Amino acid sequence: MRLIAFFAALGITFAALPAHAQLLDVLTAPKTLIDRAIEARSAGDIAKDNQIVLKVNGIMGKMGTVKASTEIYEQRLLITGIFDDKALYDRFQKDVKAVEGVKKLYWHVTYLAANDPKRKQLLDWGDTTVLAAKAQGRLVGTAGVADVNFRTTADPYGTVYLLGRARSGEEGKKALARAQDGTGVKKVMNYVEVRP
């Protein structure tokens, strides 16, 4: 019964995701579905995460933007993205900060004008997606790392973000090293909590 409720919640979450997030989910869906089912967390905890992501995606939908991306673990919400409209950026930040249930917000959304020359140095959406997928893939094959307890994402600046829970300091160090060990990774932001 718990598994049925989980898949129902996952289906609702998937339907609410922006198109680029849905594509990434489709590419990683079989592994993701299995991982979430065996993850060392309660269905209630996973449901809380899903509710928060639904609220944030609802904010993006209301604003008509897919300029941000979310990852979440144990109600610790990580948001990345680049906005080229300052008013929209400010409104999005205000609304996200008002979402109830978020224990910790890691805000890595930036404003960068559409004509800013720095945009030429940024990775495109496809390259960013590949950078994130490869970071997560490196965790999968690492002995002593329970990859189901970690989330990775990347941004157009070449930063990889590592979020989740390590069962030991050693596991956390291994996960961080694997996240850093990739072509194109310029920096890693480590948001892993160590807790057995």
Side-chain angles (χ1 to χ4, degrees), residues 135-147 171 174-175 177-179:
Q136 189 70 37
R138 288 190 298 275
L139 295 178
V140 173
T142 303
V145 173
D147 62 282
E171 181 183 28
K174 283 182 182 180
R178 295 303 287 147

Side-chain angles (χ1 to χ4, degrees), residues 144-187:
V145 173
D147 62 282
V148 295
N149 294 326
F150 295 93
R151 309 286 180 268
T152 59
T153 193
D155 69 20
Y157 297 99
T159 302
V160 169
Y161 300 86
L162 183 63
L163 175 69
R165 178 175 58 91
R167 298 163 297 175
S168 69
E170 184 61 31
E171 181 183 28
K173 288 176 188 174
K174 283 182 182 180
L176 179 59
R178 295 303 287 147
Q180 292 170 327
D181 186 29
T183 303
V185 177
K186 294 181 181 175
K187 176 177 163 184

